Amino acid sequence: MTDDTNPVILYVEDDTMSREVMNLLLTRRLKFEHVYIFEDSTDFAQNLTALPQKPDIIFLDIHMEPMDGFGMLEIIRAHPDYAKLPVIALTASVMNEEVTLLRTKGFDGALAKPVDQRNFPDILKRLLMGEQIWRIT
Amino acid sequence: MQTTSPQPKQPSQLSFIAVVMVVLVVVTLLITGGLIVFSNLRTETLIATAEQDQQARAQAISDRLGSYLINAQQLANTTATLVAPLRDDRERVESLLMQVLASAPSEIIYGVGAWYEPNLFDNQTVYYGPYVHQDTPQAILTYEWMTPEYDFHTQAWYVTGKDSGGAVVFTPPYFDTGLVYMSASRAFYDTDNTFSGVITVDMVLPLLRQLIVDANTNTNEVVYVTTADGAIFVHPAEDAILNFARQNGLSPTSILDLTESDLTAYLGASQAEKTVSAVAPVSLTGWSVHLTTDEELLFASVRDLNSTLLGVIGGVWAFTLAALFGLNRFASQTSKSRLEQQKLEAEISERKRATEILQITNEGLEEKVRERTAELEKAKEEAERANVVKSQFLAAMSHELRTPLNAILNFTQFVSTGVLGDVNEEQEETLNKVVTSGEHLLGLINDVLDISKIEAGALELFVEDNVNINTELQMTIATAKSLIKDRPVSIVNEIEPDLPLMTGDRQRISQILLNLVSNACKFTEKGTITIGAKQQDDHIQLYVQDTGMGIATDDFEKIFQTFGQTRVGLKQGRGTGLGLPISRRLAEAHGGNLRLESTVGEGSTFWVELPIKPEHLILTMPKN
């Protein structure tokens, strides 16, 4: 990690608007300088290792082509350098069954869309400290 | 690899607002579509239930009529059994008939007869009668029905009874000396199985007619009875129907001379409401009980549902239009201040670009609306097949609505919090109204999804061990404080220390508390809102007490019905009418309950009782 106030964050999201929301939130409102955003999951493994910095936390959208969030999680967990990173689902699917699936498949937390930017800074801090958070409404 | 640079070009506020406006309209369209689909599905269930209920009520009336007819049938059978072995012992037959009549209910059984074949026992002696009937207050024995002018054994009722074998047959009802009568008859046999004669039980029917007249208790509903031939036996509007028939050239002596087609002609002439009928057959006679109900009354629940949904849709559109109006004002103010700061050229090109973006986005969104509409229609067909499918569809819709709401709520807040440049106080307030409206939409989406899952029986609890109820209560108190704002209402904390950890769905328990507290905040203008919790044996009792307007006892059940707001609540135009039914079902799903005490003008207390370790709940996540 660069430092506590400037974490390295990776976000994978295929929806343009959602990307723009997180980009503004992280770079403009929270003024983070190391924010990387992938537009889809193509060549995810190569793109991940090609990043100039190793992320401190990864946010994944779930419903995505060609590989969904669960596929990307498997790649992260299979890589020795990245296996222990906190991986958080950022999804608009908030049915209980889906959240249960996220937990059993090994995500470290889930945040529902719409993202609540008022309490996001606090939640991010806690996630970076290793806490599991399931905020699904 | 695609990476976005950490410092993107500052997007124009105008294009943001344009996008927010368009997305807001799309979301509202989608919600409207969703609610219409929801209404269609619900309407079908309500109609089926109303029709089943109507059929059951018709059947109940028919059963009451039938019980009298079965009595007469049994009386005929008993008499036949007792009379047959007595053969030509005239005195004993006479005495037996007197006893049978005396034992029968006089308000409906008028006479009993044992009509022998004339030369049954002796070729020279004509044997007939006897017949006993009531001549108030006595029963009279008579043989008068065998004269040269009247030979009973050629009469239709005798021949029918003779041909019936051992079964009891009923004649059609007939009108005589101002009253309606009917006879039940059956053959009886000698010990060597030769035909001996016919037993008759004569019934006088004003009681049955009165029973039907009395069943007409509702002005929007008609109960009437027709015979096997389609003649009208009784109808509450008999006099009017008879008058109508006479004016049209018929000359009925009683209502029995008129048929259903005469009734149809009468109804066609009067300005009748649209009606729905249930028909129930009456046992033994081939009669029919008709229960005809005004559609408006029968399907009142459907109308209530639709008007409520219409209200909700209207409310959502009102929110959207208000938000659009606010955004529009904000946009024009922004451009005015820009005019002062920037050159005209730059402003024009900026606007042009915003318009272009808006147009492009608009076209894309219109296409999306068409796509989504087609998807909704397809989903509707599937949902009609099973309620569970409906729940899945709404879950998908919730996902589709949440994605644009993510953009609306967050882009608006980026502008309002000044992340994209300074805003004045009025602009900030206006944008906050957009956020509030968006959050209301989100609540509505969640509630509709919840109630649909509950109604489909698809609600699943996410059960955890070691739920700290105190944390949830403290969050609820914080929410209450923020909802009260500057009203003179104090929040009182009566939470006992050292509450035990519970097993349950943390999020759902929190949802119950937030529903109750936000209701209390909505309806309390001054005084106190008390939030409390205490342990009672193996349960935890949570309560939210307010000094609001209170709820009338008559409305207690109503507020727990889907979309069932009180009149006062509806007038205030707040909420969806879903929070309390959802909360109650969530409490029950935990093996607990939700109840209410209230006095109008003084306030209400909602009690939630939850078991600390519910036995039937299975942990969704195993303990770590």
Side-chain angles (χ1 to χ4, degrees), chain A residues 79-97:
Chain A
H79 196 294
D81 292 346
Y82 299 89
K84 298 215 165 124
L85 287 180
V87 182
I88 313 301
L90 189 51
T91 175
S93 297
V94 292
M95 296 285 282
N96 270 355
E97 307 86 86

Side-chain angles (χ1 to χ4, degrees), chain B residues 58-74 108 170 182 203 208 211-212 225 233 280-289:
Chain B
Q59 191 58 51
I61 297 168
S62 156
D63 289 346
R64 283 185 64 197
L65 276 185
S67 68
Y68 286 100
L69 301 171
I70 288 169
N71 264 340
Q73 180 197 37
Q74 285 170 344
I108 189 152
F170 286 83
M182 180 168 71
M203 308 169 70
L208 297 192
L211 192 131
I212 298 302
V225 175
F233 171 58
V282 181
S283 55
L284 304 172
T285 52
W287 295 358
S288 303
V289 171

Side-chain angles (χ1 to χ4, degrees), chain A:
Chain A
M1 191 186 299
T2 323
D3 63 66
D4 279 353
T5 55
N6 211 349
V8 181
I9 296 175
L10 171 63
Y11 178 40
V12 188
E13 169 66 79
D14 62 350
D15 176 59
T16 318
M17 289 288 180
S18 302
R19 274 203 306 273
E20 190 68 4
V21 164
M22 278 300 272
N23 187 35
L24 281 171
L25 176 56
L26 296 170
T27 65
R28 297 291 294 277
R29 184 156 185 185
L30 299 177
K31 305 204 183 327
F32 293 155
E33 288 163 6
H34 312 289
V35 176
Y36 300 93
I37 301 182
F38 296 170
E39 289 180 357
D40 57 44
S41 51
T42 315
D43 300 330
F44 176 72
Q46 291 93 311
N47 290 341
L48 177 65
T49 46
L51 283 176
Q53 290 162 293
K54 183 178 143 192
D56 296 312
I57 189 167
I58 300 175
F59 290 95
L60 298 180
D61 182 32
I62 299 302
H63 300 287
M64 203 183 295
E65 298 294 334
M67 183 191 287
D68 67 6
F70 295 107
M72 288 184 277
L73 179 72
E74 261 180 50
I75 290 177
I76 298 166
R77 294 295 187 233
H79 196 294
D81 292 346
Y82 299 89
K84 298 215 165 124
L85 287 180
V87 182
I88 313 301
L90 189 51
T91 175
S93 297
V94 292
M95 296 285 282
N96 270 355
E97 307 86 86
E98 299 185 45
V99 177
T100 306
L101 196 62
L102 294 173
R103 294 182 85 154
T104 50
K105 292 280 183 185
F107 276 89
D108 296 298
L111 302 185
K113 289 178 197 163
V115 177
D116 187 345
Q117 58 175 279
R118 282 164 294 202
N119 56 33
F120 183 83
D122 172 57
I123 286 176
L124 179 64
K125 199 182 289 173
R126 285 158 58 197
L127 288 171
L128 285 167
M129 284 163 65
E131 188 178 339
Q132 290 210 349
I133 295 179
W134 305 90
R135 189 163 288 258
I136 53 167
T137 54

Side-chain angles (χ1 to χ4, degrees), chain B residues 279-304:
Chain B
V279 180
V282 181
S283 55
L284 304 172
T285 52
W287 295 358
S288 303
V289 171
H290 302 254
L291 176 56
T292 302
T293 312
D294 288 356
E295 260 187 21
E296 205 178 325
L297 174 74
L298 188 66
F299 301 136
S301 55
V302 174
R303 201 187 52 232
D304 288 352

Side-chain angles (χ1 to χ4, degrees), chain B residues 440-462:
Chain B
H440 185 86
L441 285 184
L442 183 60
L444 198 63
I445 294 164
N446 288 341
D447 280 357
V448 169
L449 181 63
D450 275 347
I451 205 76
S452 105
K453 276 195 283 189
I454 286 170
E455 291 194 343
L459 181 81
E460 285 183 24
L461 294 180
F462 188 86

Side-chain angles (χ1 to χ4, degrees), chain B residues 549-564:
Chain B
M549 63 182 75
I551 298 160
T553 320
D554 290 349
D555 284 332
F556 273 23
E557 275 315 303
K558 186 170 191 183
I559 58 169
F560 288 109
Q561 288 164 10
T562 314
F563 293 115

